[in-house]
Amino acid sequence: MIAARLHRYHEALQVESIAEPRATEPHDVIVRVGGAGLCRTDLHVQEGQWAVNSQVELPYVLGHENAGWVHEIGSAVTNVAVGDTVILHPLVTCGLCRACRAGDDVHCENNLFPGISVDGGFADLIKTNARAVVKLDPILHPKDIAALADAGLTAYHAIKKAAALLHPGTRAVVIGAGGLGHIGIQVLKALTPAEIIVLDPSDDALALAGELGADRTVKVEKTARGADHGVHRDTIMELTDGHGAEAVIDFVGERGAIQDGIAVLRNAGSYFVIGYGEDLVVPTIDVISREINFVGNLVGSYNDLSELMTLTAQGKVSLHTTAYPLDAVNDALADLDNGRLRGRGILIPSGAGE
Protein backbone atom coordinates (compact mmCIF):
# COMPACT_ATOMS: atom_id res chain seq x y z
CA MET A 1 0.00 0.00 0.00
CA ILE A 2 1.00 3.67 -0.22
CA ALA A 3 1.83 5.47 3.01
CA ALA A 4 3.45 8.69 4.23
CA ARG A 5 6.19 7.89 6.75
CA LEU A 6 8.48 9.94 8.95
CA HIS A 7 12.07 8.73 8.56
CA ARG A 8 13.90 11.52 10.42
CA TYR A 9 12.75 14.25 12.75
CA HIS A 10 12.67 17.76 11.25
CA GLU A 11 12.44 16.33 7.74
CA ALA A 12 9.59 15.93 5.25
CA LEU A 13 7.53 12.75 5.20
CA GLN A 14 8.29 10.20 2.49
CA VAL A 15 5.41 8.84 0.42
CA GLU A 16 6.30 5.25 -0.39
CA SER A 17 5.05 1.70 -0.81
CA ILE A 18 5.03 -0.50 2.31
CA ALA A 19 3.46 -3.82 3.33
CA GLU A 20 -0.25 -3.85 4.14
CA PRO A 21 -1.30 -4.47 7.76
CA ARG A 22 -3.17 -7.73 8.39
CA ALA A 23 -5.60 -8.90 11.06
CA THR A 24 -3.53 -11.31 13.13
CA GLU A 25 -5.39 -11.17 16.48
CA PRO A 26 -9.07 -12.04 17.13
CA HIS A 27 -10.15 -8.44 17.78
CA ASP A 28 -8.08 -6.75 15.06
CA VAL A 29 -9.84 -4.52 12.55
CA ILE A 30 -8.22 -3.30 9.33
CA VAL A 31 -9.81 -0.13 7.93
CA ARG A 32 -9.48 1.26 4.41
CA VAL A 33 -8.83 4.94 5.02
CA GLY A 34 -11.36 7.33 3.50
CA GLY A 35 -9.99 10.41 5.21
CA ALA A 36 -7.13 11.22 7.59
CA GLY A 37 -7.12 14.52 9.43
CA LEU A 38 -4.13 16.82 9.75
CA CYS A 39 -3.36 18.10 13.24
CA ARG A 40 -0.80 20.40 14.81
CA THR A 41 0.29 17.34 16.77
CA ASP A 42 1.55 15.93 13.45
CA LEU A 43 3.83 18.97 13.24
CA HIS A 44 4.95 18.41 16.83
CA VAL A 45 5.66 14.74 16.02
CA GLN A 46 7.68 15.82 12.99
CA GLU A 47 9.62 18.21 15.22
CA GLY A 48 10.47 15.39 17.64
CA GLN A 49 8.38 16.68 20.55
CA TRP A 50 6.76 13.26 21.04
CA ALA A 51 9.94 11.21 20.64
CA VAL A 52 10.47 10.59 24.36
CA ASN A 53 6.81 10.11 25.29
CA SER A 54 5.92 7.77 22.45
CA GLN A 55 9.19 5.77 22.32
CA VAL A 56 8.36 5.04 18.68
CA GLU A 57 10.95 3.69 16.27
CA LEU A 58 11.39 5.48 12.95
CA PRO A 59 10.28 5.20 10.22
CA TYR A 60 6.54 5.01 10.84
CA VAL A 61 3.25 6.25 9.43
CA LEU A 62 1.72 9.39 10.95
CA GLY A 63 -2.00 10.17 11.17
CA HIS A 64 -4.21 9.83 14.25
CA GLU A 65 -7.56 11.23 12.99
CA ASN A 66 -9.01 8.51 10.81
CA ALA A 67 -12.25 7.29 9.28
CA GLY A 68 -13.01 4.82 6.51
CA TRP A 69 -14.52 1.45 5.72
CA VAL A 70 -13.89 -1.90 7.43
CA HIS A 71 -11.59 -3.93 5.16
CA GLU A 72 -10.79 -7.01 7.28
CA ILE A 73 -11.77 -8.26 10.75
CA GLY A 74 -10.42 -10.76 13.25
CA SER A 75 -12.30 -13.91 14.19
CA ALA A 76 -13.85 -12.45 17.38
CA VAL A 77 -15.08 -9.11 15.98
CA THR A 78 -18.88 -8.85 16.14
CA ASN A 79 -19.62 -5.10 16.38
CA VAL A 80 -18.70 -4.27 12.75
CA ALA A 81 -18.59 -6.11 9.45
CA VAL A 82 -16.53 -5.73 6.29
CA GLY A 83 -17.82 -2.72 4.36
CA ASP A 84 -19.16 -0.80 7.37
CA THR A 85 -18.36 2.92 7.54
CA VAL A 86 -16.48 3.74 10.74
CA ILE A 87 -14.60 6.45 12.56
CA LEU A 88 -11.70 5.37 14.77
CA HIS A 89 -11.18 6.26 18.39
CA PRO A 90 -7.52 7.41 18.40
CA LEU A 91 -6.33 4.71 20.81
CA VAL A 92 -6.23 0.93 20.57
CA THR A 93 -7.15 -0.14 24.10
CA CYS A 94 -7.19 -3.40 26.04
CA GLY A 95 -10.60 -3.28 27.75
CA LEU A 96 -9.22 -5.06 30.82
CA CYS A 97 -7.32 -2.47 32.89
CA ARG A 98 -8.93 -0.29 35.56
CA ALA A 99 -9.12 2.76 33.28
CA CYS A 100 -10.82 0.85 30.48
CA ARG A 101 -13.33 -0.71 32.87
CA ALA A 102 -14.18 2.82 34.05
CA GLY A 103 -14.74 3.95 30.46
CA ASP A 104 -11.62 6.12 30.59
CA ASP A 105 -10.18 4.75 27.34
CA VAL A 106 -7.55 7.44 26.89
CA HIS A 107 -5.73 6.32 30.02
CA CYS A 108 -5.63 2.62 29.14
CA GLU A 109 -2.54 1.09 30.73
CA ASN A 110 -1.84 -1.02 27.64
CA ASN A 111 -2.74 1.35 24.84
CA LEU A 112 -1.33 1.81 21.38
CA PHE A 113 -1.73 5.20 19.69
CA PRO A 114 -1.79 4.86 15.87
CA GLY A 115 0.00 7.82 14.33
CA ILE A 116 1.89 8.50 17.57
CA SER A 117 3.34 5.22 18.88
CA VAL A 118 2.56 2.85 15.97
CA ASP A 119 1.62 3.21 12.31
CA GLY A 120 -1.29 5.58 11.70
CA GLY A 121 -3.68 6.60 8.95
CA PHE A 122 -1.64 8.55 6.38
CA ALA A 123 -1.96 5.42 4.27
CA ASP A 124 -4.38 3.26 2.29
CA LEU A 125 -5.02 0.99 5.30
CA ILE A 126 -4.75 1.27 9.09
CA LYS A 127 -4.80 -1.39 11.80
CA THR A 128 -6.89 -0.88 14.94
CA ASN A 129 -9.16 -3.07 17.10
CA ALA A 130 -12.84 -3.67 17.69
CA ARG A 131 -12.92 -1.40 20.76
CA ALA A 132 -11.82 1.59 18.68
CA VAL A 133 -14.31 1.53 15.80
CA VAL A 134 -17.54 3.55 15.94
CA LYS A 135 -20.01 2.49 13.28
CA LEU A 136 -21.31 5.57 11.50
CA ASP A 137 -24.72 6.65 10.34
CA PRO A 138 -24.78 5.99 6.58
CA ILE A 139 -25.34 9.72 5.90
CA LEU A 140 -21.80 10.47 7.13
CA HIS A 141 -18.80 10.16 4.80
CA PRO A 142 -15.29 9.47 6.17
CA LYS A 143 -13.64 12.40 4.39
CA ASP A 144 -16.15 14.81 5.93
CA ILE A 145 -15.77 13.71 9.56
CA ALA A 146 -12.30 12.11 9.92
CA ALA A 147 -10.88 15.03 11.92
CA LEU A 148 -13.59 14.61 14.53
CA ALA A 149 -11.69 11.48 15.66
CA ASP A 150 -9.21 13.66 17.55
CA ALA A 151 -9.83 17.39 17.06
CA GLY A 152 -13.56 16.99 17.51
CA LEU A 153 -13.23 14.39 20.25
CA THR A 154 -10.80 16.52 22.26
CA ALA A 155 -13.02 19.58 21.89
CA TYR A 156 -16.08 17.59 22.94
CA HIS A 157 -14.26 16.02 25.90
CA ALA A 158 -13.19 19.43 27.24
CA ILE A 159 -16.51 21.15 26.69
CA LYS A 160 -18.44 18.28 28.26
CA LYS A 161 -16.40 18.98 31.42
CA ALA A 162 -16.95 22.74 31.10
CA ALA A 163 -20.70 22.30 30.59
CA ALA A 164 -21.16 21.59 34.30
CA LEU A 165 -20.00 25.16 35.00
CA LEU A 166 -21.85 26.94 32.21
CA HIS A 167 -25.40 27.62 33.33
CA PRO A 168 -27.56 30.42 31.87
CA GLY A 169 -25.91 33.81 32.35
CA THR A 170 -22.35 32.51 32.24
CA ARG A 171 -19.68 33.22 29.62
CA ALA A 172 -17.17 31.01 27.88
CA VAL A 173 -14.15 32.45 26.10
CA VAL A 174 -12.88 30.31 23.24
CA ILE A 175 -9.27 31.06 22.26
CA GLY A 176 -8.69 30.07 18.64
CA ALA A 177 -11.39 29.54 16.01
CA GLY A 178 -9.30 27.37 13.70
CA GLY A 179 -9.19 23.61 13.22
CA LEU A 180 -10.20 22.69 16.78
CA GLY A 181 -11.87 25.90 17.81
CA HIS A 182 -14.49 25.93 15.08
CA ILE A 183 -15.62 22.50 16.30
CA GLY A 184 -15.56 23.59 19.93
CA ILE A 185 -17.84 26.55 19.23
CA GLN A 186 -20.48 24.24 17.78
CA VAL A 187 -20.22 21.82 20.69
CA LEU A 188 -20.55 24.68 23.17
CA LYS A 189 -23.66 25.83 21.35
CA ALA A 190 -25.11 22.32 21.41
CA LEU A 191 -24.33 21.49 25.05
CA THR A 192 -24.53 24.78 26.98
CA PRO A 193 -26.59 27.98 27.30
CA ALA A 194 -23.46 30.08 27.91
CA GLU A 195 -22.65 33.25 25.99
CA ILE A 196 -19.77 32.34 23.66
CA ILE A 197 -16.97 34.87 23.13
CA VAL A 198 -14.33 33.91 20.56
CA LEU A 199 -10.81 35.35 20.44
CA ASP A 200 -8.63 34.98 17.32
CA PRO A 201 -6.19 37.14 15.29
CA SER A 202 -7.76 36.14 11.95
CA ASP A 203 -10.71 38.00 10.45
CA ASP A 204 -11.62 34.90 8.41
CA ALA A 205 -11.60 32.68 11.49
CA LEU A 206 -13.75 35.15 13.41
CA ALA A 207 -16.21 35.35 10.52
CA LEU A 208 -16.49 31.56 10.56
CA ALA A 209 -16.95 31.62 14.34
CA GLY A 210 -19.87 33.99 13.94
CA GLU A 211 -21.45 31.72 11.33
CA LEU A 212 -21.13 28.74 13.68
CA GLY A 213 -22.81 30.32 16.69
CA ALA A 214 -20.39 32.62 18.52
CA ASP A 215 -22.28 35.39 20.30
CA ARG A 216 -19.30 37.76 20.27
CA THR A 217 -16.02 37.77 18.37
CA VAL A 218 -12.91 39.65 19.42
CA LYS A 219 -9.80 40.14 17.32
CA VAL A 220 -6.40 39.79 18.97
CA GLU A 221 -4.91 43.30 18.94
CA LYS A 222 -1.52 43.84 20.54
CA THR A 223 -0.59 47.33 21.68
CA ALA A 224 2.68 49.20 21.91
CA ARG A 225 2.94 47.87 25.45
CA GLY A 226 3.93 44.52 23.96
CA ALA A 227 2.77 40.92 24.08
CA ASP A 228 1.89 41.10 27.78
CA HIS A 229 -1.08 43.33 27.09
CA GLY A 230 -3.64 43.78 24.36
CA VAL A 231 -6.79 45.80 23.83
CA HIS A 232 -8.61 42.52 23.20
CA ARG A 233 -8.25 41.67 26.87
CA ASP A 234 -9.91 44.95 27.81
CA THR A 235 -12.69 44.23 25.31
CA ILE A 236 -13.38 40.82 26.82
CA MET A 237 -13.43 42.24 30.34
CA GLU A 238 -15.96 44.84 29.19
CA LEU A 239 -18.09 42.10 27.62
CA THR A 240 -18.04 40.19 30.92
CA ASP A 241 -18.94 43.21 33.08
CA GLY A 242 -15.39 43.42 34.40
CA HIS A 243 -15.46 39.96 35.96
CA GLY A 244 -14.03 37.69 33.27
CA ALA A 245 -15.36 34.37 31.99
CA GLU A 246 -16.39 31.36 34.05
CA ALA A 247 -14.60 29.13 31.52
CA VAL A 248 -11.71 29.76 29.16
CA ILE A 249 -11.27 27.07 26.53
CA ASP A 250 -7.82 27.41 24.97
CA PHE A 251 -7.34 25.69 21.62
CA VAL A 252 -3.99 27.42 20.99
CA GLY A 253 -1.70 27.11 24.03
CA GLU A 254 1.08 29.28 22.59
CA ARG A 255 1.89 32.68 21.06
CA GLY A 256 0.43 34.66 23.96
CA ALA A 257 -2.80 32.67 24.27
CA ILE A 258 -2.06 31.45 27.79
CA GLN A 259 -1.43 34.97 29.12
CA ASP A 260 -4.58 36.21 27.42
CA GLY A 261 -6.65 33.38 28.84
CA ILE A 262 -5.49 33.82 32.42
CA ALA A 263 -6.09 37.57 32.17
CA VAL A 264 -9.75 37.12 31.20
CA LEU A 265 -10.55 34.24 33.58
CA ARG A 266 -13.03 35.02 36.32
CA ASN A 267 -12.12 34.35 39.94
CA ALA A 268 -13.04 30.71 40.71
CA GLY A 269 -13.11 30.10 36.95
CA SER A 270 -11.65 27.15 35.07
CA TYR A 271 -9.09 27.21 32.27
CA PHE A 272 -9.34 24.23 29.91
CA VAL A 273 -6.00 23.52 28.23
CA ILE A 274 -6.32 21.83 24.83
CA GLY A 275 -3.78 23.46 22.53
CA TYR A 276 -0.17 23.25 23.65
CA GLY A 277 3.32 24.36 22.79
CA GLU A 278 4.42 26.62 25.62
CA ASP A 279 4.79 26.39 29.40
CA LEU A 280 2.01 27.31 31.79
CA VAL A 281 3.60 29.65 34.35
CA VAL A 282 1.29 30.88 37.10
CA PRO A 283 2.32 32.10 40.57
CA THR A 284 0.84 29.69 43.08
CA ILE A 285 -0.44 32.61 45.16
CA ASP A 286 -2.61 33.60 42.18
CA VAL A 287 -4.03 30.09 41.94
CA ILE A 288 -4.88 30.19 45.65
CA SER A 289 -6.05 33.80 46.01
CA ARG A 290 -8.18 33.70 42.86
CA GLU A 291 -9.16 30.05 43.35
CA ILE A 292 -8.70 29.34 39.65
CA ASN A 293 -8.45 25.90 38.09
CA PHE A 294 -6.43 24.51 35.18
CA VAL A 295 -7.82 21.41 33.50
CA GLY A 296 -5.86 19.27 31.06
CA ASN A 297 -7.65 17.53 28.20
CA LEU A 298 -6.27 14.57 26.26
CA VAL A 299 -8.54 13.25 23.51
CA GLY A 300 -11.67 11.67 25.07
CA SER A 301 -13.48 8.40 25.70
CA TYR A 302 -15.16 6.06 23.23
CA ASN A 303 -18.53 7.24 24.56
CA ASP A 304 -17.49 10.86 23.99
CA LEU A 305 -16.77 10.02 20.35
CA SER A 306 -20.04 8.15 19.97
CA GLU A 307 -21.98 11.12 21.42
CA LEU A 308 -20.15 13.52 19.11
CA MET A 309 -21.11 11.37 16.13
CA THR A 310 -24.75 11.64 17.22
CA LEU A 311 -24.51 15.45 17.25
CA THR A 312 -22.87 15.30 13.83
CA ALA A 313 -25.59 13.09 12.36
CA GLN A 314 -28.15 15.53 13.81
CA GLY A 315 -26.47 18.37 11.91
CA LYS A 316 -25.37 20.19 15.07
CA VAL A 317 -21.63 19.80 14.38
CA SER A 318 -19.94 20.04 10.99
CA LEU A 319 -16.37 20.36 9.79
CA HIS A 320 -14.94 22.95 7.46
CA THR A 321 -12.26 21.06 5.56
CA THR A 322 -9.69 21.33 2.79
CA ALA A 323 -8.91 18.06 1.03
CA TYR A 324 -5.47 17.00 -0.20
CA PRO A 325 -4.38 13.81 -1.97
CA LEU A 326 -2.15 11.65 0.20
CA ASP A 327 0.89 12.34 -1.98
CA ALA A 328 0.54 16.07 -1.20
CA VAL A 329 1.00 15.46 2.53
CA ASN A 330 4.03 17.74 2.86
CA ASP A 331 2.23 20.60 1.10
CA ALA A 332 -0.70 20.08 3.44
CA LEU A 333 1.52 20.13 6.54
CA ALA A 334 3.19 23.32 5.29
CA ASP A 335 -0.22 24.97 4.82
CA LEU A 336 -1.15 23.95 8.37
CA ASP A 337 2.14 25.20 9.80
CA ASN A 338 1.86 28.55 8.05
CA GLY A 339 -1.75 29.26 8.94
CA ARG A 340 -3.13 28.85 5.42
CA LEU A 341 -5.79 26.30 6.39
CA ARG A 342 -9.35 27.38 7.23
CA GLY A 343 -10.86 24.61 9.31
CA ARG A 344 -9.20 21.19 9.04
CA GLY A 345 -6.99 19.61 6.40
CA ILE A 346 -7.94 16.09 5.26
CA LEU A 347 -5.69 13.64 3.40
CA ILE A 348 -7.49 11.31 1.03
CA PRO A 349 -5.71 8.19 -0.30
CA SER A 350 -6.02 7.70 -4.05
CA GLY A 351 -8.02 4.48 -3.61
CA ALA A 352 -10.55 5.94 -1.16
CA GLY A 353 -14.15 5.46 -2.23
CA GLU A 354 -17.47 4.00 -1.24
Side-chain angles (χ1 to χ4, degrees), residues 10-286:
H10 305 286
E11 292 188 8
L13 305 189
Q14 294 186 25
V15 180
E16 56 197 346
S17 179
I18 65 172
E20 294 184 358
R22 300 304 305 268
T24 56
E25 297 295 329
H27 290 97
D28 284 349
V29 177
I30 307 299
V31 173
R32 180 163 297 280
V33 178
L38 293 162
C39 178
R40 292 206 72 84
T41 292
D42 297 316
L43 297 175
H44 295 320
V45 168
Q46 196 175 23
E47 295 162 356
Q49 291 191 32
W50 280 84
V52 174
N53 285 345
S54 68
Q55 295 293 305
V56 69
E57 292 186 9
L58 302 181
Y60 80 112
V61 182
L62 270 61
H64 56 278
E65 299 181 338
N66 305 297
W69 302 274
V70 176
H71 178 71
E72 182 186 358
I73 58 175
S75 60
V77 175
T78 59
N79 58 325
V80 291
V82 172
D84 283 346
T85 305
V86 292
I87 190 168
L88 279 58
H89 187 277
L91 272 70
V92 178
T93 57
C94 72
L96 299 174
C97 68
R98 187 176 183 86
C100 281
R101 291 181 183 278
D104 187 16
D105 312 65
V106 76
H107 294 115
C108 171
E109 296 172 9
N110 307 296
N111 75 77
L112 298 174
F113 203 150
I116 303 292
S117 65
V118 294
D119 283 341
F122 289 179
D124 292 324
L125 299 168
I126 181 173
K127 184 175 184 176
T128 183
N129 73 358
R131 283 180 51 81
V133 288
V134 178
K135 188 175 177 178
L136 294 178
D137 188 301
I139 68 172
L140 301 177
H141 192 285
K143 66 180 175 58
D144 297 326
I145 50 80
L148 293 176
D150 178 33
L153 176 57
T154 305
Y156 184 87
H157 180 63
I159 289 163
K160 190 175 178 181
K161 294 179 189 176
L165 311 173
L166 295 173
H167 51 77
T170 58
R171 281 92 169 211
V173 168
V174 174
I175 300 179
L180 274 79
H182 88 281
I183 305 167
I185 293 162
Q186 297 173 77
V187 176
L188 269 170
K189 201 73 176 177
L191 297 188
T192 81
E195 181 180 359
I196 303 168
I197 302 170
V198 178
L199 180 65
D200 197 285
S202 165
D203 289 326
D204 286 345
L206 292 175
L208 177 60
E211 294 170 12
L212 296 176
D215 297 294
R216 306 275 189 155
T217 59
V218 179
K219 186 173 182 178
V220 174
E221 299 279 5
K222 298 300 183 182
T223 70
R225 292 168 61 181
D228 62 344
H229 187 79
V231 294
H232 53 280
R233 297 184 189 176
D234 298 332
T235 301
I236 292 175
M237 293 306 290
E238 290 172 8
L239 292 173
T240 57
D241 302 319
H243 298 299
E246 282 79 5
V248 171
I249 302 165
D250 183 1
F251 291 105
V252 179
E254 56 186 353
R255 302 189 302 276
I258 297 170
Q259 294 86 346
D260 286 341
I262 294 171
V264 302
L265 183 64
R266 186 186 183 102
N267 286 351
S270 293
Y271 191 115
F272 294 85
V273 182
I274 301 147
Y276 64 98
E278 293 180 357
D279 294 337
L280 176 64
V281 181
V282 186
T284 51
I285 192 171
D286 288 353

